[in-house]
């Protein structure tokens, strides 16, 4: 009896992610599109993957990370791909770039189409320069391309463009809201990857707490976090720029940028606020830990830490399916303001302060955000129509 071939999977760390995760995602998408009366029969989804980019005008290539919608659908790790999904049948076709012979010298073996067909478990693989002919032979009634605004950034996602697209009837409004809603709700397979990514990042935070000492630089903690996530967890990327604030830098929400590159000496008595998250297989984590570098809270530090901790526990006690997110945010604000009032830092009626948005002086961001293939994942804010 012949041994069964193992299911294709991604594995860089301890977690093996089956490529069937993306087959499940595609099925969710095309079944949802079938329920949309505006789509009709004969529609084909066409997505364009990310392109490799260089540092400004140089030939120094930046480490490629796949565009999130494309990864959600196909799991393709390489740049320059397109993908198509027949909404009626679910048939999936990938289009890989036709690489020049010189690629072998600089980048390694040019892999055949059969390699990508097996690696990504799709029905067919063609070259990008064949996309127009392949789609034309399928006689689609409509191509569904992805165009829509990311409501966190305000940027518009990349719509698929290829030579010959003008020959087809293209709709670029129907797909975005449907695929975005699919991404909001995670499958059990996706949740497993998110748990792994966050577990690795949690262990990396604990490693920092074990190794940190007064007199060290903030960037040493950034380096330690990145090293742990990659060496122990296979997380080549972080989900966002590492924020390693100590002392007053902890009050800067997105500290760690090029103008403030985690370069302060961590002094004895400083509170550290480290907001760090690794990324595995494009899935994000986002963990913030605050602690005194010397291991001992001052009385003032204890007041603020306890207020935030109590707010977190209050929300976790109440949150469940069906509750209003805004109500949870207000609960957190209310809890923090009560603690601040108790210690003489604010005065007045708590409900009045909440209504007057006084809490925003101390918590100018939201209670939280969606997380998935992006740290601020899609669907967190409704689109303005």
């Amino acid at each position: 009896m012949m041994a069964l071939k193992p299911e294709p999977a991604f594995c860089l760390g301890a977690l093996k992610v089956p490529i069937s995760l993306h087959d499940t995602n595609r099925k969710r998408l095309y079944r949802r599109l079938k329920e949309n009366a505006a789509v009709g029969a004969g529609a084909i989804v066409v997505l364009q993957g990310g392109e490799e980019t260089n540092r400004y005008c140089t030939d120094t290539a930046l480490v490629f990370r796949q565009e999130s919608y494309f990864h959600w659908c196909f799991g393709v790790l390489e740049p320059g791909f397109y993908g198509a999904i027949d909404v009626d049948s679910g048939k999936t076709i990938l289009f890989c770039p036709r690489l020049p012979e010189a690629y072998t010298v600089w980048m390694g073996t040019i892999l055949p189409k059969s390699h990508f067909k097996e690696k990504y478990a799709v029905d067919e693989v063609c070259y990008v320069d064949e996309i127009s002919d392949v789609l034309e032979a399928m006689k689609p009634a409509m191509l569904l391309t992805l165009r829509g605004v990311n409501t966190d950034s305000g940027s518009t996602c990349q719509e698929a463009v290829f030579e010959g697209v003008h020959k087809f009837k293209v709709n670029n409004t129907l797909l975005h809201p449907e695929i975005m809603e699919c991404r909001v709700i995670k499958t059990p397979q996706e949740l497993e990857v998110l748990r792994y990514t966050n577990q690795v990042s949690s262990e990396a935070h604990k490693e920092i707490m074990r190794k940190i000492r007064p007199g060290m630089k903030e960037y040493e903690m950034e380096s330690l976090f990145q090293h742990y996530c990659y060496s122990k967890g296979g997380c080549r990327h972080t989900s966002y720029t590492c924020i390693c604030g100590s002392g007053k830098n902890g009050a800067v929400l997105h500290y760690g940028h090029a103008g403030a590159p985690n370069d302060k000496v961590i002094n004895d008595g400083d509170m550290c606020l480290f907001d760090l998250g690794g990324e595995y297989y494009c899935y994000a984590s986002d963990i913030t830990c605050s602690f005194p570098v010397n291991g001992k809270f001052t009385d003032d530090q204890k007041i603020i830490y306890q207020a935030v901790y109590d707010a977190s526990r209050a929300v976790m006690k109440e949150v469940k399916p069906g509750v209003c997110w805004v109500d949870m945010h207000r609960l957190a604000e209310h809890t923090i303001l009560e603690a601040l009032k108790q210690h003489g830092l604010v005065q007045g009626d708590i409900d009045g302060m909440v209504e007057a948005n006084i809490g925003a002086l101390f918590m100018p961001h939201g209670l939280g955000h969606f997380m998935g293939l992006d740290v601020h994942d899609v669907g967190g804010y409704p689109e303005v129509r």
Side-chain angles (χ1 to χ4, degrees):
M1 184 176 178
M2 288 181 63
L4 293 175
K5 274 190 174 183
E7 181 184 359
F10 169 87
C11 186
L12 193 60
L15 181 68
K16 183 180 285 188
V17 184
I19 207 71
S20 60
L21 178 153
H22 305 285
D23 180 58
T24 300
N25 287 346
R26 291 193 298 270
K27 284 176 179 173
R28 292 176 62 214
L29 176 61
Y30 71 70
R31 287 169 181 167
R32 187 180 177 98
L33 289 169
K34 281 182 180 181
E35 294 172 359
N36 187 328
V39 173
I44 296 177
V45 171
V46 181
L47 294 175
Q48 181 175 351
E51 298 287 345
E52 189 172 59
T53 57
N54 291 348
R55 183 185 293 170
Y56 306 115
C57 64
T58 74
D59 62 353
T60 303
L62 303 176
V63 176
F64 176 73
R65 192 271 196 192
Q66 187 59 265
E67 192 278 327
S68 294
Y69 280 108
F70 198 81
H71 183 81
W72 185 87
C73 278
F74 306 108
V76 172
L77 301 174
E78 299 85 354
F81 274 65
Y82 286 73
I85 307 166
D86 186 317
V87 175
D88 292 339
S89 67
K91 180 180 179 179
T92 301
I93 306 172
L94 281 176
F95 299 89
C96 64
R98 195 189 297 268
L99 300 170
E101 288 185 9
Y103 181 96
T104 305
V105 176
W106 298 99
M107 306 299 283
T109 303
I110 296 176
L111 299 165
K113 293 183 291 183
S114 58
H115 167 83
F116 297 111
K117 183 176 185 295
E118 182 176 341
K119 181 179 181 179
Y120 296 120
V122 294
D123 299 298
E124 189 177 349
V125 175
C126 303
Y127 288 116
V128 169
D129 57 28
E130 300 172 320
I131 187 169
S132 181
D133 293 339
V134 171
L135 291 176
E136 201 167 14
M138 297 172 73
K139 297 180 170 51
M142 179 194 302
L143 299 185
L144 301 176
T145 58
L146 185 66
R147 182 177 175 80
V149 175
N150 181 302
T151 52
D152 281 283
S153 67
S155 300
T156 302
C157 53
Q158 172 68 45
E159 182 179 0
V161 177
F162 55 88
E163 191 172 340
V165 69
H166 64 278
K167 295 186 289 186
F168 302 91
K169 179 183 177 182
V170 177
N171 181 291
N172 66 3
T173 60
L174 292 171
L175 177 60
H176 184 260
E178 302 291 0
I179 193 172
M180 181 181 67
E181 284 300 317
C182 285
R183 278 183 59 185
V184 168
I185 306 298
K186 276 59 179 178
T187 66
Q189 290 171 304
E190 289 183 294
L191 289 174
E192 185 178 2
V193 185
L194 285 167
R195 287 190 191 99
Y196 173 80
T197 310
N198 282 271
Q199 182 62 43
V200 169
S201 298
S202 180
E203 293 300 324
H205 273 276
K206 289 192 279 186
E207 181 73 357
I208 287 175
M209 294 178 192
R210 285 190 287 265
K211 298 289 179 65
I212 193 170
R213 297 291 184 274
M216 299 177 80
K217 287 287 193 77
E218 294 165 337
Y219 65 74
E220 293 181 74
M221 302 303 103
E222 175 182 13
S223 174
L224 179 58
F225 180 85
Q226 292 174 327
H227 172 68
Y228 188 97
C229 286
Y230 199 1
S231 64
K232 303 297 185 184
C235 301
R236 189 174 195 184
H237 299 272
T238 54
S239 300
Y240 50 94
T241 301
C242 292
I243 301 168
C244 297
S246 64
K248 66 180 183 180
N249 293 337
V252 182
L253 295 179
H254 288 168
Y255 179 72
H257 57 83
N262 296 320
D263 57 354
K264 174 184 169 295
V265 173
I266 304 170
N267 296 313
D268 193 14
D270 275 353
M271 277 291 289
C272 296
L273 185 149
F274 293 163
D275 185 349
L276 309 161
E279 180 183 280
Y280 186 76
Y281 196 52
C282 294
Y283 282 87
S285 63
D286 184 355
I287 300 173
T288 301
C289 293
S290 297
F291 59 91
V293 63
N294 60 15
K296 185 175 177 61
F297 289 97
T298 67
D299 289 341
D300 287 345
Q301 290 169 349
K302 195 181 298 183
I303 289 169
I304 304 303
Y305 184 93
Q306 192 66 45
V308 176
Y309 179 83
D310 290 345
S312 170
R313 295 308 93 188
V315 170
M316 292 304 292
K317 182 180 177 182
E318 296 298 326
V319 70
K320 59 185 176 182
V323 302
C324 176
W325 185 256
V326 175
D327 290 343
M328 295 299 97
H329 179 92
R330 286 180 177 269
L331 173 60
E333 275 194 334
H334 200 282
T335 306
I336 289 171
L337 288 169
E338 280 183 333
L340 297 180
K341 180 179 179 179
Q342 179 185 343
H343 293 283
L345 296 170
V346 295
Q347 297 177 354
D349 175 67
I350 300 294
D351 290 335
M353 283 189 271
V354 171
E355 288 302 318
N357 210 22
I358 298 300
L361 296 173
F362 308 101
M363 191 171 77
H365 49 79
L367 173 64
H369 50 81
F370 288 177
M371 190 168 67
L373 285 169
D374 296 299
V375 68
H376 293 165
D377 210 26
V378 295
Y381 295 96
E383 289 188 77
V384 178
R385 300 187 185 279

